[in-house]
Each structure stands twice: as C-alpha cells, then as structure tokens.
Amino acid sequence: MAVGWVTALKLVPWGDVLEATPQILQSAKKLLGATRKGTSGAAAGSLADTNDAAAPPVALQLQQLHERVARLEQEQQESAVLIQSLAEQNAQVVQAVERLRLRNQRLTVAIAVLGAVCVCAGLLLAWTLRQ
C-alpha cells in the first residue's frame, strides 16, 4: 500500500505544483475580495424604485427574489472564504510534501554513503583477517 503512495507521489510534477501554488492562492484572495464587495446595495435600490400601486403579488415576488439574491450572495461569500482556506491549506500541504521530498533525497544519499562505508569496512576486515 505504501508503494502505491510513493508511486503516486513520484508521478506528480512537484515543480509545476510549487510554481502554481502562489497563483492559486492569489486567485482565491481576489475571488474573496470580489465577493465581499457584493451587490446587495444595488438589489435594495431596485426594490425602492418599485411602484406603490403595483399589485401585492408582484411586490411579494420582488421581496422573495430580493431575499433569495441576498441568500445567494451570502452563500457565494462563504464559498469564497472556503476556497481561500482550501487554497492556503493546499499551499501548506505542497510545502510539507516538498520538505519531505528533500528529506527523502538526503536520507537516500546518507544510506548510500553508509552502505559504501559498510562495504569498505567489510572488505578491509576481510583483507586484515587474511594477512
């Protein structure tokens, strides 16, 4: 099972992921800023312009539409906050995986050096015992 994860991690182009992470984070922040501005003021202004002589069902429909738009704007803002949070978490995960990749490379080199030292020590011991 661990071999599958290692294989999957090797297939990921980590250089591309690392390069794209700041752009993803910046885009999420822009989306959050754009949705925070909102358009609720424009919707409220359009309701104020309605004719008082209009039939009650139309006024009721307008009120319901206004409430629905307000709910949708709130959901959009919450979604933007969630997307930004996910983008930040993704950036942290990418950084952690990059650190683990570098640590893995260092450990591989250390094990190779240790193996070479052990082989040399074994050869030296064998040579010493033959003398």
Side-chain angles (χ1 to χ4, degrees), residues 25 28 79-91:
L25 189 57
S79 296
V81 169
L82 177 63
I83 289 170
Q84 180 181 8
S85 173
L86 290 174
E88 289 171 354
Q89 290 175 6
N90 185 42

Side-chain angles (χ1 to χ4, degrees), residues 3 8 15 26 29 59 79 84 95 102-103 112 121 126 129:
V3 175
Q26 184 180 16
K29 287 180 180 179
S79 296
Q84 180 181 8
Q95 290 172 354
L102 291 173
R103 185 180 297 173
L129 290 177

Side-chain angles (χ1 to χ4, degrees), residues 28 31-32 35 72-86:
L31 177 62
L32 179 62
T35 58
L72 289 173
E73 287 176 352
Q74 179 64 31
E75 289 175 10
Q76 183 182 14
Q77 289 175 356
E78 291 171 0
S79 296
V81 169
L82 177 63
I83 289 170
Q84 180 181 8
S85 173
L86 290 174

Side-chain angles (χ1 to χ4, degrees), residues 30-113:
K30 284 181 182 178
L31 177 62
L32 179 62
T35 58
R36 282 191 177 163
K37 292 176 185 175
T39 59
S40 60
S46 67
L47 282 179
D49 294 338
T50 59
N51 189 357
D52 291 338
V58 174
L60 180 61
Q61 288 177 354
L62 283 175
Q63 180 62 28
Q64 289 172 346
L65 287 174
H66 174 66
E67 291 171 0
R68 184 173 179 196
V69 168
R71 279 194 311 268
L72 289 173
E73 287 176 352
Q74 179 64 31
E75 289 175 10
Q76 183 182 14
Q77 289 175 356
E78 291 171 0
S79 296
V81 169
L82 177 63
I83 289 170
Q84 180 181 8
S85 173
L86 290 174
E88 289 171 354
Q89 290 175 6
N90 185 42
Q92 292 173 357
V93 168
V94 168
Q95 290 172 354
V97 168
E98 180 64 16
R99 286 192 302 267
L100 288 173
R101 186 186 66 78
L102 291 173
R103 185 180 297 173
N104 187 26
Q105 284 180 342
R106 291 181 190 134
L107 286 173
T108 301
V109 169
I111 288 172
V113 169

